[in-house]
Amino acid sequence: MPLPADDAVRAVVAQVGRAGTYRLLFSVLASHQGHDVPAALEHPSLADRDLPPLLAHLAESVPPGETDPTADLLGLGDLHQRLLADEERRSAGAWFTPWPLVEHLLDLSMPAGDDVTTVLDPACGAGVFLAAATRRLVARAGPAADVVDLVVRHVHGVDLDADAVELARVVLWLELLPWLDPAGPLPGLALRVGDTLGDAAPDHAAYDVVVGNPPFLNQLERATAQERVAAERVRREDPGLYGAYTDLSAVFLARAATWVRPGGRVALVQPVSLLAARDAGAVRARLAETCVVEGLWTSDGRAFDASVETCAPVLRRRMGAEAQGTVDRSGGVPPVPSPAVPAGDLGGSWGHLLAAGLGVPALVWRTDGALGDLATCTADFRDQYYGLAGAVEEGAGPGRAPLVTSGLVEPARCDWGERPTRFLKQAWQAPAVVLDRLPAELAAWAAARLVPKVLVGTQGRVVEAVADPEGRWLPSVPVISVVPERDRLWHVLAVLLAPPVSVHAATAYAGAAMSPTAIKLSARQVAAIPLPVRVEQWDEAASLLSDGQEAGLVEAARLMCTAYDVPPGPVLDWWLGRALRSPRGRPRSARPAPGRAHGR
């Protein structure tokens, strides 16, 4: 049955609020299916109201169509999201979960044959996960079961949004329509309005399955005042587990692993950054200790209206000393299975679980030492970014330093002045910092950066680095500056452009960037990049790059595979397919561009 048009629903919402409107919609939908449920209209927002005209208004606006319980369920959830203002939805981190993904996560967390009884959605919203779980529990219970009692006792949900919880009740009552007593009260359900991480915290080890799509509210340090209070509370309860940039969804995941019994499963949608972000590292380590990672779904694109790539690890709480097996993979909406991958070391990054499905080749290499042994790696901060306002103008000239943004850094090439970029929300063709306009503190910063160095961009398909041997360029946040020891500039560049290094970064840190296929490194991670063992080939690659960065790029890359004792085949081919590509998608020229620092 199609739902009433939005304008009809909004007109009723204006009179009785969202919760009252959801009760009226339940009455209309139940009546359409041949059920009269008078108790549906027993709600505070409907008291002393002239209900027949409101019911008629909703019913009359419903276009003709066949009853489809799944369509009604999805329509109600989508309706609630549309009734939320955009800002209200973003601040709550509320995004509707596609039905194929709901079913897939329940297939993984409630597999056929498992004795699953009690299910929790800790951020239940409109109740889509709970309704789908209810259908499975009812189907497994058999014809003699007391279905209403089963759902009342074993389907649990919590949410901060009281209106969403009211809609979740309506959704579950619609699932129970065939078993409801029309003359009796509507059954009370185990749905609560509250903070799952605070006043409405579930009991430990009380559930067989925890499933859902918790809010993506970005980092804890950016939360509202009320949310910061909650953040401080969870930090006190789990000291050292959450950092300033930990996403709230990762807190839900860590807690969920304590809410299931040994052998119970957790499947919660997460931003893909969970797999590699530094401030989720302690969460991953804790989960690796307490759970077996059975599967991983990844969005393979943005599955929600939210502008973020997503994933959903499927965890099973360990029963004794269980060994970690391979990890099943799936991706997309509707989800499509991928080959299982070895679990590897799950105490650190889980990026390799993502990389395995992205065509990143396997890497076996030999290394000795780290880049931080011969260079200082530094990332600048917002003070340097915003402090340059008023000191940036177009074009080069005396007393000016070209400002190089991350998007201008390509492997062995800087595109400053050749294509536009953005800085401080403004488009620039050739942004330059007028040095004598800088205050003393920023002048000291600029002097420290205007030295021979290698600049490393972020969000690239490979590690993107270019040498600045004359020390002419100023990096714009988040470009990383790598200042080498004397006479080691070109050796540093050779390491950063080495195909095995990009494979390593794409594997270890998959999911940390805005796109799963991009590479994002911190200054600390750049410093930790391993050095090669074969010095002769490393020296030769450095010499080639010093004679002409872009001209020597391909041969240097080949030499650096040998320097790391890596057969050049799949690793080099993968790197070439990503590195030799212009920003506009055309093959790159190997000719150094005029005016670039490209020699000794």
Side-chain angles (χ1 to χ4, degrees), residues 298-587:
T298 52
S299 57
D300 295 348
R302 291 171 180 172
F304 305 92
D305 290 339
S307 58
V308 61
E309 299 274 356
T310 50
C311 69
V314 181
L315 313 172
R316 190 181 74 252
R317 187 169 171 182
R318 292 184 189 272
M319 300 179 67
E322 278 192 87
Q324 170 70 54
T326 58
V327 178
D328 291 332
R329 282 287 321 278
S330 57
V333 177
V336 176
S338 300
V341 297
D345 178 14
L346 296 178
S349 170
W350 293 3
H352 59 283
L353 302 180
L354 176 62
L358 297 175
V360 181
L363 177 66
V364 178
W365 60 346
R366 293 177 59 221
T367 66
D368 182 20
L371 191 61
D373 297 339
L374 52 87
T376 301
C377 306
T378 308
D380 298 312
F381 299 98
R382 65 182 68 183
D383 289 348
Q384 288 81 33
Y385 181 80
Y386 291 107
L388 295 180
V392 179
E393 290 188 355
E394 286 281 9
R400 297 184 174 198
L403 182 64
V404 177
T405 63
S406 186
L408 297 177
V409 177
E410 296 281 323
R413 188 173 85 182
C414 174
D415 282 341
W416 184 87
E418 294 202 358
R419 59 187 175 94
T421 188
R422 293 190 67 81
F423 176 71
L424 287 174
K425 300 183 180 180
Q426 182 178 341
W428 300 84
Q429 184 60 43
V433 177
V434 182
L435 297 174
D436 62 9
R437 291 188 192 171
L438 296 177
E441 185 176 345
L442 276 179
W445 164 80
R449 295 290 175 270
L450 292 175
V451 297
K453 60 187 174 294
V454 175
L455 296 184
V456 181
T458 60
Q459 310 289 345
R461 288 163 57 85
V462 296
V463 176
E464 296 177 333
V466 61
D468 175 20
E470 298 169 6
R472 297 175 51 241
W473 301 331
L474 274 178
S476 172
V477 175
V479 174
I480 296 169
S481 299
V482 183
V483 179
E485 295 177 352
R486 183 180 177 85
D487 299 328
R488 301 292 276 176
L489 177 76
W490 302 106
H491 287 81
V492 166
L493 182 62
V495 167
L496 290 166
L497 296 178
V501 166
S502 283
V503 170
H504 162 70
T507 300
Y509 308 118
M514 294 175 65
S515 165
T517 59
I519 295 173
K520 178 184 177 184
L521 295 173
S522 68
R524 183 181 301 177
Q525 290 163 346
V526 170
I529 288 174
L531 299 177
V533 293
R534 295 182 179 241
V535 176
E536 182 179 350
Q537 287 79 13
W538 186 13
D539 288 343
E540 189 176 348
S543 178
L544 275 171
L545 292 170
S546 73
D547 289 337
Q549 295 188 57
E550 197 169 3
L553 176 62
V554 173
E555 185 57 31
R558 201 180 308 274
L559 285 165
M560 289 305 292
C561 287
T562 305
Y564 280 101
D565 212 10
V566 172
V571 169
L572 181 61
D573 290 346
W574 174 86
W575 184 87
L576 289 172
R578 287 172 163 242
L580 300 188
R581 194 183 68 128
S582 78
R584 291 161 292 281
R586 296 192 294 270

Side-chain angles (χ1 to χ4, degrees), residues 289-306:
E289 290 176 0
T290 60
C291 300
V292 170
V293 181
E294 291 189 327
L296 177 69
W297 169 86
T298 52
S299 57
D300 295 348
R302 291 171 180 172
F304 305 92
D305 290 339

Side-chain angles (χ1 to χ4, degrees), residues 143-413:
D146 183 339
V147 170
V148 173
D149 180 68
L150 173 71
V151 173
V152 167
R153 289 191 298 114
H154 295 295
V155 177
H156 295 234
V158 184
D159 203 282
L160 285 167
D161 183 347
D163 291 333
V165 171
E166 188 61 40
L167 182 55
R169 289 193 184 95
V170 164
V171 163
L172 291 184
W173 286 333
L174 285 170
E175 295 295 321
L176 293 174
L177 267 180
W179 298 278
L180 294 183
D181 177 4
L186 286 164
L189 298 168
L191 303 178
R192 290 188 289 168
V193 178
D195 180 2
T196 317
L197 303 178
D199 62 300
D203 293 335
H204 281 214
Y207 298 93
D208 298 296
V209 172
V210 176
V211 67
N213 184 2
F216 296 179
L217 284 175
N218 297 318
Q219 291 84 19
L220 294 179
E221 75 159 15
R222 297 180 185 174
T224 65
Q226 181 180 354
E227 290 154 357
R228 281 197 295 271
V229 172
E232 287 305 315
R233 181 176 60 246
V234 298
R235 285 188 180 123
R236 286 195 304 271
E237 294 171 354
D238 284 303
L241 193 61
Y242 309 115
Y245 296 97
T246 305
D247 195 281
L248 189 62
S249 58
V251 181
F252 273 88
L253 188 66
R255 291 295 181 88
T258 71
W259 297 332
V260 292
R261 303 181 179 96
R265 289 184 174 86
V266 175
L268 295 180
V269 179
Q270 300 280 299
V272 77
S273 58
L274 167 85
L275 303 178
R278 182 188 64 187
D279 276 27
V283 171
R284 292 191 299 270
R286 171 78 62 85
L287 293 173
E289 290 176 0
T290 60
C291 300
V292 170
V293 181
E294 291 189 327
L296 177 69
W297 169 86
T298 52
S299 57
D300 295 348
R302 291 171 180 172
F304 305 92
D305 290 339
S307 58
V308 61
E309 299 274 356
T310 50
C311 69
V314 181
L315 313 172
R316 190 181 74 252
R317 187 169 171 182
R318 292 184 189 272
M319 300 179 67
E322 278 192 87
Q324 170 70 54
T326 58
V327 178
D328 291 332
R329 282 287 321 278
S330 57
V333 177
V336 176
S338 300
V341 297
D345 178 14
L346 296 178
S349 170
W350 293 3
H352 59 283
L353 302 180
L354 176 62
L358 297 175
V360 181
L363 177 66
V364 178
W365 60 346
R366 293 177 59 221
T367 66
D368 182 20
L371 191 61
D373 297 339
L374 52 87
T376 301
C377 306
T378 308
D380 298 312
F381 299 98
R382 65 182 68 183
D383 289 348
Q384 288 81 33
Y385 181 80
Y386 291 107
L388 295 180
V392 179
E393 290 188 355
E394 286 281 9
R400 297 184 174 198
L403 182 64
V404 177
T405 63
S406 186
L408 297 177
V409 177
E410 296 281 323
R413 188 173 85 182

